[in-house]
Amino acid sequence: MSGAEAGAPLFDRLCLVGVGLIGSSIARLAKERGDIAGSIVATARSAATLARVRELGIADEVEPDVARAVQGADCVILCVPVGAYAKVMAQMAPHLSPGCVLTDVGSTKGSVVRDLSPLLPPGVHLVPAHPMAGTEHSGPDAGFASLFQGRYTIVTPLPDCDPDAVEKVRELWRRAGSNVETLDPATHDKVVAIVSHLPHLIAFTICGTADDLAEETREAVLKFAASGFRDFTRIAASDVDMWRDIFLNNREALLEMLARFTEDAQALGRAVRWGEAEFIEDRIRRGRRIRRGLVERGQA
Ligand code: NAP
């Protein structure tokens, strides 16, 4: 496939729409490797982010206007919260070049297809993707080139998508050091609902519950947080806009997982109430098995 030869840049002109944690990590990676893009143009919403991207020198061009930024790009990567996709797409769609590969990094995929497909100009190839790598930090200073190394990236191409465009997106993530997998958008959304979205929902909730406790108890919670609560607070420190958008855009799958989780949590609570030691032990053993499985896959 043209452009995918070792050493040659995969794309001539890569446009990053949004340069926070994920967008700036891609920019750093592309700069560092040199075989991802001939040139990088970056656009973001605020003047402060644009100024910081210029200072950091992680893009060749910084363009405040998204319509101008995407012009002439043969790859555009959306790196904004998923709730902003429809609006951003309306601004940029008429300016996308024929043949351009339009991809993204959003944490939900059904909503991405829903929001981008209707405005897709003829000849522009939509290949949604989700690098399953991140931290609780955001903004252009938070990114780093090795973020995607050894992590999974899930590509969710539509059945009628151009195979060359799909292959280019897969190659992009391989060059980022990711293990690339393909899923359909609905399966993706179910999987991330259980492995990522529900754990965040639980973390936000448990922090809120602890915060609701009387003043004296709350102090003790913070003091002795190392016993497990601390791990929840790390997850709960995540970006507000991003997580609001994820919850609202993966509604069905998240609610389904929450319902199952609630049933299972109540079953464990019931076992505690009735002193059913065997049931409790079984749940703990299952947890340990799952952790071992992650360690063995190098995902711990
Ligand atoms: P981030 O650090 O907060 O950066 C978001 C970027 O989007 C910023 O450049 C911001 O511009 C821009 N933006 C925010 N709201 C916008 C709006 N309404 N219209 C236009 N631009 C807007 O976020 P991130 O962590 O990189 O996340 C970006 C995407 O990656 C999200 O879709 C998220 O679901 C996905 N993702 C995140 C993670 C993670 O762990 N963080 C992991 C995998 C995938 P300003 O800075 O100018 O406001």
Side-chain angles (χ1 to χ4, degrees), residues 70 89-90 92-100 102 116-126:
V70 300
M89 183 63 174
M92 71 180 188
H95 309 277
L96 293 168
S97 302
C100 171
L102 173 62
L116 300 186
S117 302
L119 292 174
L120 198 67
V124 173
H125 310 293
L126 173 61

Side-chain angles (χ1 to χ4, degrees), residues 183-217:
L183 288 179
D184 64 88
T187 307
H188 166 276
D189 286 356
K190 279 201 178 186
V191 170
V192 293
I194 187 70
V195 302
S196 170
H197 305 172
L198 183 63
H200 276 80
L201 185 149
I202 294 169
F204 297 136
T205 308
I206 204 168
C207 288
T209 307
D211 195 45
D212 282 344
L213 295 174
E215 196 56 48
E216 197 182 316
T217 327

Side-chain angles (χ1 to χ4, degrees), residues 18-23 44-46 49 79-82 84-85 87-88 105-107 130-131 133-135 137-139 239 241-242 246:
V19 256
L21 169 71
I22 304 292
R45 184 177 49 169
S46 69
T49 296
C79 307
V80 299
V82 289
Y85 275 40
K87 191 173 140 216
V88 171
V105 296
S107 308
H130 175 201
T135 71
H137 303 295
S138 44
D239 186 70
D241 292 353
M242 172 180 151
I246 290 174

